[in-house]
């Protein structure tokens, strides 16, 4: 909202109003504002949650320090969502297709998580929202996001091609004043095809339409939209599984957010895209504003969520964090980097799948269920081994930083 005000002020030459035209300035303001919202207003929300006796009900699983967490305020994801949405509404261009997509995904997934927490806390039902209902909700957001990204005419990419490249029906040549226009060995084309980035492979681009032998976007959505739905479900559930130790999901999400901010910035800047030889995504610069608010919200929430936690995010936060990461990565055409970037989420998810699957298999085969890990998700396995949860969280963060660096390096590894 402030963007439009200062855009008008800049048009009448109001001193300093032109700063709002710079992505770096608005991203910095979004980050600062999200920190202010999450830290200063977060305390008031925590006190309100405590006053309303909205506390966590903890099952005794024999983990160190677990019982002491009983009664800790939950549903703190409200703090995270507020700290993301408020700066985005203030500093981003609200007519931008990518910003609209991210706001829809954030609110939708936040509502699903809120309903789950509400049933657990107020209805005293430990199971919360039924699993099928959660999946239906996640499918819904994946369907909406997939349709927007596939069918919207505002969603395009610019790619470098050989100078002798022959245009297809949905493509056109474009020029960029900030790129190396004097180099006659290549040109830039504008296309609305669903090209994405494949890591570690030369000529690292893949078009979903190729799966149907389709170059005109008639049937490619049959693959693209289900893939979007799968990614949203997988990453949001992975974040949910990771939210089992103080600060683990929050810190991991902040690290992932920083890596996504770098990827979004270089992909939305024609000069950097030219230098790194990656797809240039027009209009995606506003995504930097959103992800700056996301990182600020996670770091601000970590102020209260780090060990020993004063508040838990609940499903209100964890489902939204994972879904936001998934939708953001898909929007900047980096979804195939998710297994690397979100490696912590992936391993946590897999540990549960393997544990449950192996237990059922061995019970059917031997009459007694056996386990791969002492407990799943994986962070509980290390707790059972006697490692303090603060140390487990710190080590998972270190692994997250390493994976984030590897993800960014893939821009030049082919």
């Amino acid at each position: 909202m402030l963007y439009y005000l200062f855009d008008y002020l800049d048009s009448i030459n109001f001193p300093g109003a032109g700063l709002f035209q710079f992505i770096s300035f608005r991203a910095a303001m979004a980050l600062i504002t999200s920190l202010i919202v999450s830290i200063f207003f977060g305390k008031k929300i925590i006190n309100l949650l405590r006053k309303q006796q909205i506390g966590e009900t903890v099952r005794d699983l024999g983990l160190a320090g677990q019982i002491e967490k009983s009664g800790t305020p939950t549903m703190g994801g409200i703090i995270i969502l507020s700290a993301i949405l408020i700066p985005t509404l203030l500093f981003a261009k609200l007519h931008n297709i990518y910003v609209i997509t991210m706001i829809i995904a954030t609110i939708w997934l936040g509502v699903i998580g809120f309903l789950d927490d509400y049933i657990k806390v107020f209805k005293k039902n430990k199971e919360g929202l039924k699993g099928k209902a959660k999946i239906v909700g996640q499918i819904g957001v994946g369907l909406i996001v997939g349709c927007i990204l596939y069918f919207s005419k505002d969603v395009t990419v610019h790619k470098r091609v050989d100078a002798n490249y022959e245009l297809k029906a949905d493509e056109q040549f474009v020029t960029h004043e900030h790129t190396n226009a004097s180099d006659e060995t290549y040109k830039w084309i504008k296309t609305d095809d669903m090209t994405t980035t494949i890591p570690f492979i030369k000529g690292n681009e893949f078009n979903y339409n190729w799966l149907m032998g389709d170059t005109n976007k008639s049937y490619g959505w049959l693959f693209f939209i289900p893939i979007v739905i799968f990614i949203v479900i997988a990453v949001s559930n992975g974040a949910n599984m990771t939210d089992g130790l103080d600060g683990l999901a929050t810190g991991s999400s902040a690290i992932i957010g920083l890596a996504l901010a770098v990827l979004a910035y270089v992909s939305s800047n024609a000069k950097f895209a030219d230098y790194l030889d990656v797809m240039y995504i027009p209009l995606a610069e506003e995504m930097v504003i959103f992800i700056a608010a996301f990182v600020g919200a996670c770091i601000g929430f970590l102020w209260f969520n780090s060990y020993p936690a004063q508040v838990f995010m609940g499903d209100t936060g964890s489902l939204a964090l994972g879904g936001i990461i998934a939708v953001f990565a898909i929007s900047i055409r980096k979804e195939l980097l998710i297994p690397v970037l979100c490696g912590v989420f992936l391993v946590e998810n897999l540990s549960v799948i393997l544990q449950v699957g192996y237990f059922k298999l061995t019970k059917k085969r031997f009459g007694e269920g056996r386990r791969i890990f002492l407990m799943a998700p994986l962070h509980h396995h290390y707790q059972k081994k006697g490692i303090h949860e603060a140390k487990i969280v710190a080590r998972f963060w270190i692994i997250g930083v390493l994976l984030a660096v590897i993800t960014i390096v893939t821009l030049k590894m082919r």
Side-chain angles (χ1 to χ4, degrees):
M1 298 175 184
L2 288 179
Y3 170 80
Y4 299 101
L5 171 62
F6 280 87
D7 185 48
Y8 168 74
L9 292 175
D10 184 46
S11 68
I12 60 174
N13 298 318
F14 187 86
L19 280 172
F20 268 71
Q21 300 300 320
F22 294 96
I23 290 294
S24 55
F25 176 78
R26 287 191 285 132
M29 291 301 297
L31 178 64
I32 293 169
T33 304
S34 64
L35 284 170
I36 292 172
V37 171
S38 54
I39 293 176
F40 290 98
F41 293 96
K43 185 64 176 177
K44 296 182 184 296
I45 294 175
I46 292 170
N47 290 335
L48 178 63
L49 293 172
R50 187 176 288 115
K51 185 177 180 180
Q52 297 295 323
Q53 297 182 337
I54 303 175
E56 184 78 7
T57 302
V58 178
R59 290 184 300 167
D60 188 3
L61 299 175
L63 299 171
Q66 184 185 32
I67 299 302
E68 289 81 355
K69 295 182 180 183
S70 183
T72 302
T74 188
M75 298 179 76
I78 296 171
I79 300 171
I80 298 175
L81 297 179
S82 300
I84 293 173
L85 293 172
I86 291 173
T88 300
L89 293 173
L90 288 175
F91 299 106
K93 296 178 182 178
L94 300 182
H95 63 277
N96 182 283
I97 188 64
Y98 295 106
V99 172
I100 294 171
T101 303
M102 294 310 305
I103 290 175
I104 291 173
T106 302
I107 295 174
W108 189 298
L109 290 163
V111 169
I112 296 172
F114 178 84
L115 290 174
D116 186 52
D117 288 335
Y118 181 85
I119 294 171
K120 289 178 182 176
V121 174
F122 293 99
K123 301 297 182 181
K124 306 301 179 183
N125 183 346
K126 294 180 181 180
E127 298 301 320
L129 194 64
K130 290 184 178 180
K132 289 182 179 179
K134 280 186 185 179
I135 294 295
V136 169
Q138 292 167 324
I139 289 174
V141 73
L143 183 63
I144 292 172
V145 169
C147 288
I148 290 174
L149 295 179
Y150 194 88
F151 294 110
S152 174
K153 295 299 181 182
D154 292 329
V155 177
T156 62
V157 296
H158 295 186
K159 299 183 291 185
R160 286 201 326 181
V161 295
D162 185 87
N164 298 320
Y165 181 84
E166 294 185 8
L167 288 175
K168 298 183 177 65
D170 59 343
E171 298 172 342
Q172 66 184 80
F173 287 119
V174 292
T175 58
H176 295 290
E177 57 180 305
H178 298 298
T179 59
N180 188 7
S182 61
D183 189 343
E184 297 181 356
T185 61
Y186 71 86
K187 295 180 180 180
W188 285 84
I189 61 167
K190 174 183 177 181
T191 177
D192 63 352
D193 66 25
M194 294 313 301
T195 302
T196 191
T197 302
I198 305 177
F200 311 114
I201 297 177
K202 187 176 180 180
N204 62 339
E205 292 181 358
F206 172 76
N207 188 340
Y208 289 98
N209 296 319
W210 296 342
L211 294 171
M212 298 293 292
D214 173 30
T215 59
N216 295 317
K217 292 189 67 175
S218 299
Y219 305 105
W221 62 271
L222 292 172
F223 279 95
F224 178 72
I225 293 178
I227 289 171
V228 171
I229 292 171
F230 172 78
I231 293 172
V232 170
I233 293 174
V235 182
S236 60
N237 286 336
N240 188 260
M241 293 291 182
T242 305
D243 185 33
L245 298 180
D246 296 349
L248 179 55
T250 315
S252 298
S253 297
I255 293 166
I256 293 169
L258 286 170
L260 289 174
V262 173
L263 295 173
Y265 187 78
V266 299
S267 297
S268 63
N269 185 293
K271 187 174 183 179
F272 283 118
D274 180 40
Y275 173 72
L276 295 170
D277 191 18
V278 297
M279 289 180 289
Y280 165 54
I281 308 175
L283 305 180
E285 65 274 2
E286 295 301 310
M287 297 281 279
V288 181
I289 312 296
F290 181 91
I291 202 65
F294 175 88
V295 171
C298 290
I299 295 173
F301 187 74
L302 196 57
W303 183 276
F304 305 106
N305 187 235
S306 58
Y307 181 86
Q310 298 172 254
V311 65
F312 299 136
M313 69 174 72
D315 283 12
T316 305
S318 59
L319 283 177
L321 287 181
I324 287 168
I325 289 169
V327 174
F328 194 97
I330 294 166
S331 297
I332 61 171
R333 314 298 178 99
K334 300 295 183 291
E335 64 270 24
L336 298 184
L337 289 170
I338 285 178
V340 180
L341 179 58
C342 300
V344 170
F345 292 171
L346 176 63
V347 169
E348 293 274 44
N349 229 346
L350 286 177
S351 69
V352 174
I353 294 171
L354 291 172
Q355 184 87 320
V356 173
Y358 186 72
F359 185 87
K360 289 182 177 180
L361 179 64
T362 53
K363 187 174 183 178
K364 183 178 181 181
R365 188 170 182 179
F366 304 109
E368 181 182 3
R370 301 175 183 177
R371 293 174 173 82
I372 301 173
F373 307 102
L374 297 177
M375 185 179 286
L378 186 62
H379 55 261
H380 288 324
H381 168 79
Y382 292 111
Q383 269 191 296
K384 283 286 190 180
K385 295 184 74 172
I387 303 175
H388 194 279
E389 71 170 281
K391 181 171 283 189
I392 297 171
V393 170
R395 288 176 174 174
F396 273 55
W397 286 354
I398 292 169
I399 294 170
V401 170
L402 177 62
L403 293 173
V405 171
I406 292 173
T407 301
I408 294 171
V409 170
T410 59
L411 290 173
K412 293 302 290 182
M413 290 175 60
R414 301 173 188 175

